[in-house]
């Protein structure tokens, strides 16, 4: 089985899993317990926090562990967008987008900035939506469907120069561990997720600028500095930390190699059967294409039966006919129908790229023949 | 004093000389529906009693009984010897704690020493003496004490009648093959026919990979829910993928659905004959969608010789929905897994297709080969 749906979720990083394993078997203590066992776990968590943060942020940042990217996004939006208007891009993941659609009923006006054809945000349109009443802005770092990268540092800087009181958030779920990230002082909040880099589902974090005031979504025992109650998922967090160490160590090599693979795969896909949606300078981990006029979901099942696993748009929203995000890029129905998202991991090999290109071509040609 | 579930049956008593047969089938169905729960089933004249049952599972027993066709009504009550003292002891535990009540006696044993009115007065009087918070209201009481004096020295005492599923015991009206989709209608159509005593088998058409596994799982779940009434044990599925592709590639787009339905009917008829089913059953309702016009139905009927029963033909959508909710299939039917890919749905389907046009388009296809190929794809799911 060749797995090219890593942007939906990545296979387990076994090394990280084995290193963390003791924390469900032997060191199972509650980190809030004040006997030595608990203290030890608490220390471990502290260093895990540092490890996850290192390489993406300096001492001006902290993080709270959450149940995943979605919770982190929810907390960012509902904690900060409390009056006036809030601005996001039309390319946000549902975890931000759906929060924004809720804002209206809470008395906050949601605004969405249009996208460029590759899925990145149209910057000048975004900036035009910002005014003195804007309290919150969210710009996805890597578009999870096209792989387009928004230059969040530059965007955040421009936004803050218009209105410095704005809280700036970015969903970094597809960026963390995959492209170089360095959070600047203009960025207030940044969401990340563990299972996209080979750790577990159900673990994520909201990175926060120490100057940013955050409100809790979940109340209880006061864990995570009173910002996220609930006994810490120690095993999940340590797994996250070890997987992060692993992937961050080889970030640049992985990026260079996968960029090459991404381009190779695109070269191997037959034209004009396929149209490219992803930009050249996007995430090395995502190649979004369309088999024009065919149904992505049908191709996906044929490919599964032939040993290649691919995505169609975003796995979380596959129940809707077309991808909201790709539609916002300005494509027509025929292209939207055929969207396939091919996403890689550091373990993807050149051989797999070649074989999957062959299978994807074959499936599309066959399907076309059967239907027309 | 013993706790019992009293079951009264519906139309079976109308069946004259066949009564013995109907009762035997009814007994088997009751036993099947109570499978896995400790109980004893007794037949007394005109009633069935479930006795010696697992009391912790009484709610489940009652809900299972509520789904057996042929049950007119049922009650949870007490079985006691028919002396007044025993009846009174049972009546005390059935009567409300306070408020108004009425005693209503029915005498199956006409030789009993007291008349129904006398028993009402006697037991009612004792209940009033015993509990000062009670009073009698014979017109609109808040609670009832029903007393049913049976032959063989036994009386049944209970407080409530629950309405049963009605209809006839499944298996007394032959066998039919239901064309079941993931929608709201076809499970209701199956329910209606099994309510009239028909043994209903299920056939589902899928078009993997154009439809997904979740759509199939949904149909399996619908079939399982329906089987709580219909007592069927399996679902058959057939792939019509290749048929849909051929129609899509070779025939006029507006006839896509019409032609597919003709294939479904042909396949269903062959399956039905193998299973010795005497008819096809569909959930069609006149005019509901483009293919459910009288012309559409005629064009499908034209390719089969078995009768096609459409128990919902005169129902409005909301009437069907109401029934689906009652049966418990509605929530599953509305899950968002479609059982037809939009690829095959024409923008403007033919509403009144002419038979000559249909046959002309169909002649472009190798019908027999496609039907046989589909029949070879049959899979069976047990639940």
């Amino acid at each position: 089985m060749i797995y090219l749906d890593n942007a939906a979720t990545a296979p387990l990083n076994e090394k990280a899993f084995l290193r963390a394993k003791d924390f469900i078997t032997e060191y199972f203590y509650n980190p809030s317990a004040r006997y030595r066992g608990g203290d030890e776990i608490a220390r471990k968590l502290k260093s895990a926090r540092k490890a996850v943060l290192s390489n993406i942020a300096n001492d001006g940042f902290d993080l709270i562990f959450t149940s995943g990217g979605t919770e982190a996004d929810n907390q960012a939006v509902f904690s900060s967008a409390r009056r006036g208007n809030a601005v996001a891009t039309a390319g946000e993941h549902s975890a931000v987008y759906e929060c924004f659609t809720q804002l209206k009923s809470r008395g906050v006006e949601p605004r969405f900035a249009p996208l460029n054809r590759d899925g990145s945000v149209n910057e000048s349109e975004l900036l035009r939506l910002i005014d003195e009443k804007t309290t919150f802005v969210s710009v996805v770092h890597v578009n999870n469907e096209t792989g387009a990268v928004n230059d969040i540092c530059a965007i955040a800087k421009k936004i803050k120069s218009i209105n410095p009181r704005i809280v700036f958030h970015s969903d970094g779920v597809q960026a963390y561990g995959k492209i170089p990230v360095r959070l600047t002082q203009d960025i207030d909040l940044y969401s990340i997720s563990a299972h996209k880099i080979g750790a577990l589902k159900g673990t994520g974090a909201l990175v926060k600028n120490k100057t940013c005031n955050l409100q809790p979504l979940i109340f209880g025992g006061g864990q995570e500095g009173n910002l996220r109650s609930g006994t810490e998922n120690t095993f999940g967090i340590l797994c996250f930390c070890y997987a992060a160490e692993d992937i961050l160590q080889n970030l640049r090599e992985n990026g260079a190699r996968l960029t090459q693979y991404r381009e190779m795969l695109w070269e191997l896909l037959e034209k004009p059967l396929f149209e490219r949606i992803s930009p050249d300078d996007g995430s090395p981990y995502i190649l979004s294409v369309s088999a024009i006029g065919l149904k992505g979901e049908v191709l996906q099942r044929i490919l599964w039966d032939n040993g290649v696993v691919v995505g169609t748009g975003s796995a979380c929203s596959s129940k809707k006919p077309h991808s909201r995000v790709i539609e916002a890029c300005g494509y027509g129905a025929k292209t939207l129908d055929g969207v396939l998202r091919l996403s890689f991991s550091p373990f993807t090999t050149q051989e797999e790229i070649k074989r999957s290109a062959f299978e994807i071509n074959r499936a599309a040609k066959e399907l076309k023949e059967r239907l027309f | 004093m013993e706790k019992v579930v009293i079951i009264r049956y519906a139309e079976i008593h109308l069946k004259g000389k066949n009564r013995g047969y109907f009762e035997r089938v009814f007994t088997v169905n009751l036993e099947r529906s109570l499978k896995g729960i400790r109980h004893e089933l007794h037949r007394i004249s005109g009633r069935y009693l479930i006795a010696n049952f697992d009391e912790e599972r009484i709610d489940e027993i009652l809900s299972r009984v509520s789904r057996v066709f042929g049950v007119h009504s049922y009650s949870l009550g007490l079985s006691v010897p028919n002396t007044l003292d025993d009846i009174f002891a049972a009546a005390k535990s059935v009567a409300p704690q306070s408020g108004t009540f009425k005693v209503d006696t029915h005498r199956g044993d006409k030789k009993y020493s007291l008349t129904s009115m006398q028993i009402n007065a006697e037991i009612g009087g004792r209940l009033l003496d015993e509990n000062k918070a009670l009073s009698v209201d014979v017109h609109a009481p808040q609670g009832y004490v029903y007393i049913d004096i049976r032959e063989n020295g036994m009386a049944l005492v209970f407080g409530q009648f629950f309405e049963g599923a009605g209809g006839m015991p499944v298996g007394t009206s032959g066998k039919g093959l239901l064309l079941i989709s993931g929608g709201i209608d076809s499970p209701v159509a199956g329910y209606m026919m099994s309510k009239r005593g028909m043994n209903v088998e299920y056939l589902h058409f899928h078009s993997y990979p154009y439809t997904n596994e979740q759509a199939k799982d949904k149909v399996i779940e619908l079939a399982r829910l329906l089987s709580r009434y219909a007592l069927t044990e399996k679902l058959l599925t057939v792939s019509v993928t290749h048929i849909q592709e051929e129609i899509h590639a070779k025939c006029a787009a507006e006839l896509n659905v019409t032609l597919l339905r003709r294939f479904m009917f042909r396949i269903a008829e062959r399956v039905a004959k193998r299973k010795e089913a005497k008819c096809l059953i569909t959930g069609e309702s006149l005019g509901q969608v483009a293919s459910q016009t009288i012309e559409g139905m005629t064009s499908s009927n034209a390719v089969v010789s078995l009768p096609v029963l459409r128990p919902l033909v005169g129902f409005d959508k909301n009437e069907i929905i109401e029934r689906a909710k009652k049966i418990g299939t509605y929530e599953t039917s509305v899950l968002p897994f479609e059982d037809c890919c939009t690829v095959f749905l024409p923008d403007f389907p033919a509403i009144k297709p002419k038979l000559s046009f249909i046959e002309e388009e169909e002649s472009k296809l190798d019908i027999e080969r496609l039907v046989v190929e589909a029949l070879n794809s049959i899979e069976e799911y047990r639940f």
Side-chain angles (χ1 to χ4, degrees):
Chain A
M1 197 62 105
I2 299 173
Y3 185 71
L4 296 186
D5 198 18
N6 290 279
T9 190
L12 185 68
N13 178 331
E14 274 188 56
K15 236 170 40 189
F17 166 74
L18 290 173
R19 280 179 71 190
K21 210 180 83 185
D22 287 351
F23 293 90
I24 31 174
T25 51
E26 207 170 329
Y27 304 106
F28 60 87
Y29 311 106
N30 191 322
S32 301
R34 287 289 69 91
Y35 38 76
R36 193 170 291 176
D39 289 338
E40 228 171 273
I41 309 288
R43 272 199 293 277
K44 272 279 177 196
L45 281 185
K46 204 171 156 193
S47 61
R49 205 177 295 276
K50 261 195 191 147
V52 171
L53 258 184
S54 69
N55 294 314
I56 70 159
N58 59 23
D59 290 351
F61 288 83
D62 198 354
L63 69 73
I64 61 170
F65 286 111
T66 65
S67 70
T70 296
E71 188 191 318
D73 285 343
N74 270 261
Q75 186 162 8
V77 176
F78 293 125
S79 167
S80 313
R82 294 158 80 90
R83 64 190 74 81
N85 65 67
V87 181
T89 79
E92 296 305 312
H93 185 275
S94 322
V96 169
Y97 192 86
E98 293 302 325
C99 290
F100 263 67
T101 62
Q102 294 296 314
L103 286 179
K104 215 168 179 181
S105 65
R106 301 182 182 216
V108 178
E109 181 203 344
R111 296 177 176 178
F112 296 100
L115 301 184
N116 299 317
R117 198 136 174 105
D118 67 359
S120 59
V121 65
N122 182 323
E123 222 180 282
S124 54
E125 291 293 324
L126 172 74
L127 295 174
R128 278 200 342 179
L129 292 174
I130 313 272
D131 56 33
E132 72 284 355
K133 288 202 169 146
T134 307
T135 52
F136 180 74
V137 175
S138 189
V139 175
V140 64
H141 195 176
V142 171
N143 183 311
N144 61 301
E145 303 200 31
T146 71
V149 179
N150 289 312
D151 185 354
I152 52 167
C153 299
I155 293 172
K157 189 169 185 186
K158 285 177 194 160
I159 285 169
K160 292 282 171 109
S161 73
I162 301 173
N163 178 349
R165 290 187 312 276
I166 287 172
V167 174
F168 183 88
H169 165 254
S170 179
D171 178 325
V173 167
Q174 296 293 351
Y176 184 77
K178 300 185 175 180
I179 64 167
V181 179
R182 199 81 185 125
L183 300 182
T184 57
Q185 272 309 308
D186 296 316
I187 293 166
D188 297 295
L189 298 165
Y190 191 74
S191 310
I192 58 180
S193 166
H195 75 106
K196 309 288 190 190
I197 59 164
L200 305 180
K201 295 157 191 75
T203 327
L206 182 58
V207 178
K208 71 177 272 290
N209 196 315
K210 285 180 178 164
T211 61
C212 176
N213 268 329
L214 196 63
Q215 304 294 322
L217 266 190
I218 294 170
F219 296 85
Q223 289 87 345
E224 300 298 303
N226 259 328
L227 291 173
R228 205 287 182 184
S229 286
T231 302
E232 297 87 342
N233 174 2
T234 44
F235 170 60
I237 289 169
L238 285 157
C239 215
F240 187 13
C241 151
Y242 297 141
E245 273 178 22
D246 204 30
I247 202 164
L248 287 166
Q249 213 171 28
N250 302 307
L251 184 83
R252 278 171 206 283
E253 295 91 307
N254 290 340
R257 190 175 69 256
L258 291 175
T259 302
Q260 213 186 337
Y261 289 176
R262 185 190 68 194
E263 292 313 309
M264 178 197 286
L265 181 53
W266 172 242
E267 281 308 310
L268 290 171
L269 291 181
E270 285 185 27
K271 279 65 129 189
L273 206 51
F274 288 96
E275 177 182 5
R276 178 167 178 155
I277 293 168
S278 290
D280 300 338
D281 58 354
S283 162
Y285 285 75
I286 295 177
L287 174 65
S288 193
V289 298
S290 172
I292 309 154
L294 301 176
K295 278 260 178 215
E297 209 184 297
V298 179
L299 275 174
Q300 184 185 42
R301 287 195 278 275
I302 295 176
L303 284 165
W304 169 275
D305 292 340
N306 291 317
V308 181
V309 188
V310 302
T312 57
S314 167
C316 301
S317 58
S318 69
K319 281 182 193 92
K320 288 160 198 153
H322 287 151
S323 148
R324 163 180 53 81
V325 171
I326 310 281
E327 207 165 356
C329 297
Y331 288 96
K334 289 218 149 156
T335 303
L336 292 170
D337 270 348
V339 173
L340 288 185
R341 181 183 65 179
L342 313 165
S343 52
F344 319 117
S345 86
F347 306 106
T348 306
T349 66
Q350 194 168 355
E351 204 38 55
E352 287 180 324
I353 294 289
K354 286 182 183 160
R355 246 236 30 230
S356 56
F358 172 79
E359 293 292 349
I360 295 168
N361 282 329
R362 191 170 70 163
K365 275 189 290 190
E366 245 181 55
L367 187 60
K368 203 161 187 178
E369 233 163 69
R370 280 155 71 176
L371 285 174
F372 301 104
Chain B
M1 200 177 340
E2 185 187 11
K3 265 195 189 167
V4 289
V5 178
I6 306 148
I7 296 168
R8 303 166 200 87
Y9 44 78
E11 292 180 38
I12 306 175
H13 63 277
L14 299 175
K15 296 296 169 190
K17 285 182 183 156
N18 286 326
R19 183 168 159 172
Y21 165 67
F22 282 89
E23 285 183 342
R24 274 197 300 282
V25 176
F26 186 55
T27 309
V28 169
N29 292 352
L30 275 174
E31 287 289 7
R32 273 173 74 183
S33 70
L34 291 171
K35 211 165 127 185
I37 302 180
R38 179 172 61 77
H39 72 279
E40 285 168 17
L41 185 65
H42 302 295
R43 203 164 99 205
I44 59 174
S45 79
R47 306 272 186 280
Y48 283 83
L49 290 185
I50 301 171
N52 194 15
F53 53 81
D54 184 347
E55 285 194 24
E56 282 180 12
R57 298 177 74 182
I58 183 61
D59 290 342
E60 199 181 338
I61 292 175
L62 293 179
S63 94
R64 290 197 197 182
V65 166
S66 76
R67 292 191 291 258
V68 176
F69 290 124
V71 174
H72 176 258
S73 68
Y74 58 97
S75 303
L76 179 60
L78 296 162
S79 166
V80 291
N82 66 11
T83 69
L84 280 179
D85 286 346
D86 285 310
I87 293 172
F88 173 61
K92 267 197 296 187
S93 68
V94 164
Q97 293 304 304
S98 62
T100 61
F101 77 102
K102 174 186 177 178
V103 181
D104 189 347
T105 303
H106 170 263
R107 236 168 23 133
D109 178 3
K110 300 295 182 199
K111 294 187 201 109
Y112 194 70
S113 58
L114 298 176
T115 66
S116 298
M117 295 300 282
Q118 286 170 327
I119 299 169
N120 289 348
E122 177 63 29
I123 299 295
R126 289 201 200 180
L127 284 169
L128 287 173
D129 289 345
E130 174 90 11
N131 182 350
K132 300 294 175 206
L134 282 176
S135 61
V136 170
D137 179 348
V138 292
H139 300 296
Q142 289 165 323
Y144 278 93
V145 175
Y146 294 104
I147 300 168
D148 189 1
I149 309 282
R150 308 306 308 169
E151 287 109 354
N152 68 20
M154 175 212 262
L156 301 171
V157 182
F158 52 94
Q160 246 181 311
F161 280 92
F162 301 109
E163 197 185 336
M168 311 253 291
V170 167
T172 56
S173 304
K175 190 192 275 184
L177 182 68
L178 173 70
L179 282 68
I180 187 171
S181 71
I184 296 166
D185 305 344
S186 49
V188 179
Y191 170 89
M192 302 281 278
M193 293 321 299
S194 41
K195 181 156 78 74
R196 295 309 301 160
M198 187 168 268
N199 240 330
V200 176
E201 300 236 356
Y202 315 133
L203 179 65
H204 172 65
F205 299 97
H206 70 86
S207 48
Y208 184 86
Y210 297 93
T211 54
N212 61 35
E213 289 288 310
Q214 280 171 308
K216 199 193 268 182
D217 290 348
K218 172 179 159 184
V219 176
I220 295 171
E221 174 62 8
L222 283 173
R224 191 190 66 77
L225 290 170
L226 179 55
S227 292
R228 296 181 307 170
Y229 298 90
L231 304 174
T232 311
E233 285 166 345
K234 59 181 192 286
L235 166 79
L236 300 175
T237 67
V238 168
S239 165
V240 287
T241 306
H242 193 204
I243 294 171
Q244 284 197 290
E245 287 170 345
E246 289 266 303
I247 294 172
H248 180 81
K250 293 179 181 163
C251 305
E254 67 263 36
L255 287 185
N256 267 3
V257 180
T258 310
L259 294 175
L260 177 64
R261 288 199 74 81
R262 278 162 68 93
F263 272 98
M264 287 177 170
F265 274 53
R266 288 185 181 102
I267 294 163
E269 184 173 59
R270 301 228 191 154
V271 174
K273 286 185 171 162
R274 281 186 201 173
K275 300 272 163 199
E276 296 180 334
K278 301 288 189 290
C279 64
L280 305 182
I281 305 163
T282 76
E284 288 163 297
S285 152
L286 188 64
Q288 192 183 101
V289 294
S291 66
Q292 298 181 13
T293 56
I294 185 63
E295 289 82 0
M297 293 184 196
T298 307
S299 100
S300 315
N301 280 12
V303 297
V304 292
S305 58
L306 282 183
V308 182
L309 302 184
R310 297 178 170 90
L312 306 182
V313 74
F315 280 68
D316 292 348
K317 192 72 187 183
N318 51 15
E319 291 172 303
I320 301 173
I321 288 173
E322 205 177 290
R323 266 159 217 260
K325 284 182 177 166
K326 217 169 124 193
I327 302 167
T329 52
Y330 180 75
E331 285 74 16
T332 305
S333 287
V334 295
L335 291 176
F337 313 121
E338 291 143 39
D339 48 17
C340 184
C341 179
T342 48
V343 172
F344 300 119
L345 292 179
D347 294 336
F348 299 102
I351 295 171
K352 297 178 176 180
K354 282 217 174 66
L355 202 54
S356 56
F357 180 40
I358 293 169
E359 283 168 352
E360 185 189 321
E361 287 299 300
E362 210 172 51
S363 69
K364 298 172 184 169
L365 307 171
D366 185 345
I367 296 170
E368 182 58 22
R369 184 179 56 81
L370 288 169
V371 168
V372 170
E373 185 188 283
L375 286 168
N376 287 333
S377 74
I378 289 189
E379 287 177 283
E380 193 179 294
Y381 296 88
R382 291 191 167 265
F383 34 78

